[in-house]
C-alpha cells in the first residue's frame, strides 16, 4: 500500500508539473498510465514528458504485478496451510490413543524422544515454525505449527483419545492458561506441566494440573547427588521388617542420611525405589511406631520384603569415608551385607541364583 501511494503521488505531481495539467486531470492521467489503460487523451510531446510517462507506466506495471504476486502467494499459502491443517486433523481422527506435547524446547524434545522410543502416538504443538519444520512427521507423529492457547485448539484435542497432555513451555503463565482451557471442557484429562518457578507450583495445581515437574527442583537434586557422590554409599543387604529400626539407629549414629530404599524383585533388573531422605532418629522411631500400630501397612511391607527375598539396597549419604567404614562394620554385626556399590545387573544375578 505504501508503494502504491508513493507511485500515485509521484504520478499526480509529475503530471501536474511536467505535463502542465490541472490537478484533476493529473489524477486521471496518472491513473490510466499506471494501469496501462492509456486512452490517448493526453499525449506527451517533449522529451521530459515522454521520460516521465515511460517511468510512470513501467512503475505502474511492475508495482501491480508485484502486488498481484503477493496476493496470489498469500492466498496459496493460506490454502496450503488450510489443506495441511485439514489433513492433520483427519490423521488425528483416525489416530489411536496419543500424547500431546505443548512446547518443543529442550525439555519438550527430551519428552518427545522418550515417547517415540516407546512407539507412542504423539501430537506436538508449537508456534515456532523453525522448530516444527525440524521434525519429520510419521504415522505416529503429527506436528502442528500453531499457538496452543488460540482457538481452543488444545481443548479440542485433549479428548477421550488423549492419554496425557504434557506442557513443556518455559512460560508458566501460558501453562496455567492451557491447564484452565483444558479443564473447562475436559475435566478428566490427565495434565502434566512444567513449572519454571517454584512459586507457581501451587497455582498450577489449583488450576487443575495433575502432575507438576520443576526442572529447578530436579536440577537441584541432581546437583546435590553429584556433589555428594564421593560420599554416597549403596549397600545391598538382607534383613526382615523387624530389623528396620535397629538398622536405622546405626545409620543415624554415624551422622548419615538414608536417601532411599531399593527393593530387588527376582527376575526384574530395575528395583522398586522408595524415597526416604531421613537422618533423624525420631523419624525412624515414628515409622517404627506406625508399623506397629497399622497391621495392614506392616503386612503390605512384609509382602514386599517377601517378594524381594528380603534383598534390598540403601542409598546412604554421609560426611566422609571414615563414617562409611564405621557404618559398614556396625551393619555387618546387625544384618547380612550382600555387597557395596553393586550395579543392578550384579544384584539381579545374585537374586536370580537365590530364587533357584
Amino acid at each position: 500500500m505504501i508503494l502504491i501511494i508513493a507511485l500515485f503521488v509521484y504520478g499526480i505531481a509529475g503530471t501536474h508539473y511536467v505535463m502542465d495539467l490541472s490537478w484533476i486531470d493529473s489524477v486521471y492521467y496518472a491513473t490510466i498510465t499506471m494501469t496501462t489503460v492509456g486512452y490517448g487523451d493526453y499525449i506527451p510531446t517533449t522529451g521530459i514528458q515522454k521520460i516521465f510517462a515511460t517511468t510512470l507506466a513501467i512503475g505502474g506495471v511492475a508495482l501491480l504485478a508485484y502486488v498481484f504476486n503477493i496476493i496470489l502467494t498469500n492466498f496459496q499459502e493460506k490454502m496450503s496451510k488450510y489443506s495441511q491443517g485439514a489433513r492433520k486433523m483427519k490423521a488425528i481422527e483416525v489416530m489411536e490413543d496419543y500424547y500431546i506435547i505443548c512446547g518443543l524446547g529442550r525439555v519438550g524434545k527430551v519428552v518427545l524422544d522418550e515417547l517415540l522410543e516407546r512407539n507412542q502416538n504423539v501430537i506436538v504443538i508449537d508456534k515456532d515454525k523453525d522448530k516444527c519444520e525440524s521434525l519429520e512427521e510419521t504415522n505416529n507423529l503429527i506436528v502442528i505449527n500453531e499457538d496452543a492457547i488460540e482457538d481452543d485448539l488444545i481443548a479440542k484435542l485433549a479428548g477421550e483419545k488423549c492419554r496425557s497432555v504434557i506442557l513443556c513451555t518455559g512460560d508458566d503463565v501460558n501453562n496455567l492458561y492451557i491447564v484452565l482451557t483444558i479443564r473447562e471442557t475436559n475435566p478428566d484429562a490427565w495434565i502434566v506441566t512444567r513449572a519454571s518457578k517454584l512459586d507457581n507450583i501451587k497455582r498450577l495445581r489449583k488450576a487443575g494440573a495433575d502432575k507438576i515437574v520443576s526442572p529447578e527442583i530436579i536440577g537441584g537434586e541432581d546437583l546435590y547427588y553429584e556433589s555428594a557422590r564421593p560420599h554416597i554409599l549403596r549397600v545391598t543387604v538382607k534383613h526382615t521388617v523387624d530389623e528396620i529400626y535397629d538398622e536405622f539407629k546405626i545409620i543415624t549414629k554415624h551422622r548419615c542420611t538414608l536417601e532411599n530404599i531399593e527393593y530387588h524383585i527376582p527376575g526384574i533388573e530395575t528395583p522398586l525405589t522408595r524415597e526416604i531422605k531421613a537422618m533423624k532418629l525420631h523419624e525412624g522411631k515414628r515409622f517404627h511406631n506406625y508399623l506397629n500400630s497399622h497391621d495392614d501397612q506392616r503386612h503390605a511391607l512384609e509382602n514386599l520384603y517377601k517378594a524381594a527375598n528380603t534383598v534390598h539396597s540403601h542409598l546412604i549419604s554421609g560426611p566422609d569415608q571414615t563414617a562409611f567404614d564405621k557404618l559398614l562394620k556396625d551393619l555387618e554385626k546387625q544384618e547380612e551385607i550382600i555387597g557395596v556399590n553393586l550395579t543392578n545387573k550384579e544384584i539381579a544375578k545374585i537374586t536370580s541364583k537365590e530364587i533357584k
Side-chain angles (χ1 to χ4, degrees):
M1 288 300 298
I2 292 174
L3 289 174
I4 291 174
I5 293 172
L7 185 62
F8 200 57
V9 170
Y10 166 75
I12 294 172
T15 302
H16 179 72
Y17 292 108
V18 176
M19 301 290 292
D20 295 325
L21 299 181
S22 66
W23 286 111
I24 294 177
D25 289 339
S26 294
V27 172
Y28 171 72
Y29 181 81
T31 303
I32 63 172
T33 304
M34 286 173 57
T35 57
T36 70
V37 174
Y39 289 120
D41 307 55
Y42 306 100
I43 301 174
T45 55
T46 66
I48 190 65
Q49 289 180 347
K50 291 178 180 179
I51 292 173
F52 166 72
T54 302
T55 58
L56 185 59
I58 293 175
V61 172
L63 185 57
L64 290 174
Y66 173 71
V67 171
F68 181 75
N69 181 62
I70 287 179
I71 294 173
L72 184 61
T73 302
N74 195 338
F75 177 75
Q76 289 176 335
E77 286 180 353
K78 287 189 176 181
M79 287 301 296
S80 176
K81 188 175 182 180
Y82 175 79
S83 177
Q84 289 179 359
R87 178 181 59 80
K88 291 177 188 289
M89 294 306 295
K90 189 173 182 180
I92 292 172
E93 288 178 3
V94 299
M95 181 181 277
E96 296 298 328
D97 296 344
Y98 53 77
Y99 292 83
I100 299 175
I101 297 177
C102 293
L104 198 60
R106 288 175 295 178
V107 175
K109 286 182 179 178
V110 172
V111 176
L112 176 62
D113 291 341
E114 291 292 332
L115 289 171
L116 294 180
E117 188 176 338
R118 291 160 176 78
N119 200 31
Q120 300 293 337
N121 294 325
V122 186
I123 299 173
V124 174
I125 304 174
D126 196 288
K127 59 184 179 182
D128 191 317
K129 187 177 181 180
D130 293 335
K131 290 179 180 179
C132 292
E133 289 180 348
S134 66
L135 294 178
E136 183 179 352
E137 290 191 330
T138 61
N139 290 334
N140 61 333
L141 173 61
I142 295 176
V143 183
I144 300 177
N145 180 211
E146 297 285 351
D147 192 339
I149 63 176
E150 291 184 359
D151 300 326
D152 293 335
L153 173 64
I154 190 68
K156 297 173 185 176
L157 298 178
E160 294 181 359
K161 294 197 299 180
C162 177
R163 289 186 176 182
S164 177
V165 181
I166 307 169
L167 309 182
C168 301
T169 75
D171 190 329
D172 288 350
V173 175
N174 278 351
N175 291 339
L176 181 65
Y177 185 84
I178 294 172
V179 171
L180 291 171
T181 301
I182 295 172
R183 279 286 173 255
E184 285 181 354
T185 53
N186 300 281
D188 297 326
W190 184 259
I191 306 173
V192 180
T193 180
R194 169 187 177 181
S196 298
K197 295 182 179 179
L198 297 179
D199 296 341
N200 293 327
I201 291 179
K202 290 183 179 179
R203 296 185 181 94
L204 288 164
R205 185 172 288 113
K206 288 181 179 179
D210 296 290
K211 290 290 181 180
I212 304 167
V213 179
S214 172
E216 186 176 336
I217 294 176
I218 295 174
E221 290 181 348
D222 289 345
L223 285 172
Y224 163 72
Y225 281 123
E226 289 303 321
S227 65
R229 190 161 296 282
H231 308 306
I232 287 284
L233 185 71
R234 190 190 196 196
V235 186
T236 304
V237 300
K238 285 188 71 173
H239 66 71
T240 64
V241 173
D242 293 326
E243 298 173 290
I244 290 177
Y245 183 54
D246 293 329
E247 178 190 57
F248 190 74
K249 285 192 290 185
I250 295 173
I251 294 173
T252 56
K253 170 187 172 183
H254 296 286
R255 296 179 296 116
C256 294
T257 300
L258 179 58
E259 300 288 351
N260 67 35
I261 301 176
E262 299 171 331
Y263 302 97
H264 302 282
I265 310 298
I268 302 175
E269 184 174 316
T270 304
L272 298 175
T273 303
R274 184 163 63 111
E275 191 176 82
I276 305 296
K277 291 185 179 179
M279 64 177 297
K280 303 297 183 182
L281 184 60
H282 69 84
E283 294 174 313
K285 183 65 175 178
R286 184 170 64 242
F287 182 69
H288 177 72
N289 293 337
Y290 177 80
L291 286 181
N292 289 336
S293 59
H294 293 77
D295 293 337
D296 54 339
Q297 297 297 324
R298 181 183 179 87
H299 183 64
L301 187 59
E302 286 175 343
N303 285 338
L304 181 57
Y305 267 64
K306 184 177 180 181
N309 288 333
T310 70
V311 177
H312 55 282
S313 296
H314 299 303
L315 191 67
I316 302 171
S317 62
D320 49 44
Q321 188 58 46
T322 302
F324 284 152
D325 293 339
K326 294 179 180 179
L327 171 68
L328 290 173
K329 285 183 180 180
D330 286 349
L331 286 177
E332 284 177 341
K333 300 174 184 177
Q334 172 68 35
E335 59 200 21
E336 178 185 350
I337 296 180
I338 296 175
V340 177
N341 293 330
L342 299 176
T343 65
N344 287 336
K345 281 189 176 181
E346 291 172 332
I347 298 173
K349 288 181 181 179
I350 295 172
T351 55
S352 63
K353 289 179 181 178
E354 288 191 0
I355 203 169
K356 290 179 181 178

